[in-house]
Amino acid sequence: MNIVIIEDEPIVADDLELSITQLMPEPLNITQLHSVKEAINYFKSTSMPDLIFSDIQLGDGLSFEIFVAIPVSAPVIFCTAYDEYALDAFKANGIDYILKPFTTQTLERALQRYNELKKLFSSDQTPQYNALMEMLTGKNNQKSSSVLVYHQDKIIPIKLEDIALFYLANEVTHLLTFSGKTFLSQ
């Protein structure tokens, strides 16, 4: 597994690397980067790692500059002393946000989250997509049914195949048919 640590404080970077190697049973290749500039140059010339640990405030800028300059597809666990960047972190492939000083338990939870997400996104979703597509396109298998709507002080049925869409207006559900007629749904 390839991991990149982006941290401008060498002691913190070394401590993080040691903690990761103690928590991860698989063979690791860990690279430490210490600035925005170094990280941008690294990602331009190297394939994307499996996981990134990144501080936010680095000596030469914010780590978000890296993710703007380089399209990063790897998940990122942010390790920082500042909580005001949490929202921005999740916009930059962030999967967790650890406040410094981190503990082994918080680091372990973040790695567990990474592993859970990895399993979720690497599992084969094809059968579920096929079932959904069949359900959405399989009009021939559906029995004829309708929706009841209000029309001129009466309740009348509208066949499903005649309905173009439903929409809300002033907290009231409306139905629009393919012929352009609008009804209030019951």
Side-chain angles (χ1 to χ4, degrees):
M1 178 173 184
N2 292 318
I3 296 176
V4 168
I5 296 173
I6 305 170
E7 172 61 64
D8 61 344
E9 298 176 41
I11 294 172
V12 175
D14 291 341
D15 186 36
L16 183 58
E17 182 173 345
L18 179 63
S19 296
I20 293 169
T21 55
Q22 290 172 346
L23 290 169
M24 299 288 288
E26 59 189 280
L28 300 174
N29 178 25
I30 299 178
T31 302
Q32 290 186 21
L33 306 172
H34 304 289
S35 69
V36 170
K37 184 178 179 181
E38 183 182 9
I40 290 172
N41 290 334
Y42 176 84
F43 289 127
K44 281 182 179 178
S45 63
T46 309
S47 62
M48 200 54 57
D50 298 305
L51 180 61
I52 299 171
F53 285 85
S54 181
D55 189 2
I56 292 179
Q57 289 192 344
L58 302 169
D60 62 342
L62 298 177
S63 63
F64 300 124
E65 296 172 39
I66 301 164
F67 308 120
V68 169
I70 304 293
V72 174
S73 59
V76 182
I77 296 174
F78 287 94
C79 305
T80 184
Y82 305 96
D83 61 357
E84 71 254 22
Y85 297 109
L87 196 56
D88 293 326
F90 288 102
K91 292 178 183 176
N93 282 6
I95 61 167
D96 212 332
Y97 196 89
I98 301 172
L99 289 176
K100 291 178 185 176
F102 63 86
T103 64
T104 304
Q105 291 80 18
T106 57
L107 187 56
E108 187 173 26
R109 279 194 299 270
L111 289 168
Q112 184 178 11
R113 181 183 185 108
Y114 164 74
N115 287 324
E116 289 169 1
L117 289 170
K118 183 178 169 185
K119 283 181 197 171
L120 178 68
F121 286 107
S122 65
S123 65
D124 185 18
Q125 299 292 321
T126 306
Q128 294 173 357
Y129 293 134
N130 290 340
L132 179 62
M133 288 305 296
E134 185 178 316
M135 183 180 78
L136 293 174
T137 59
K139 291 182 181 178
N140 298 338
N141 298 337
Q142 294 178 352
K143 294 182 180 178
S144 179
S145 58
S146 58
V147 173
L148 299 177
V149 297
Y150 293 106
H151 180 66
Q152 299 177 351
D153 297 330
K154 295 180 181 178
I155 297 176
I156 62 169
I158 303 290
K159 292 183 180 180
L160 284 179
E161 60 263 16
D162 294 336
I163 299 172
L165 59 92
F166 290 90
Y167 65 94
L168 286 173
N170 298 325
E171 298 183 16
V172 177
T173 304
H174 296 267
L175 176 148
L176 178 66
T177 64
F178 287 109
S179 62
K181 294 180 183 176
T182 302
F183 298 96
L184 297 176
S185 179
Q186 183 179 3

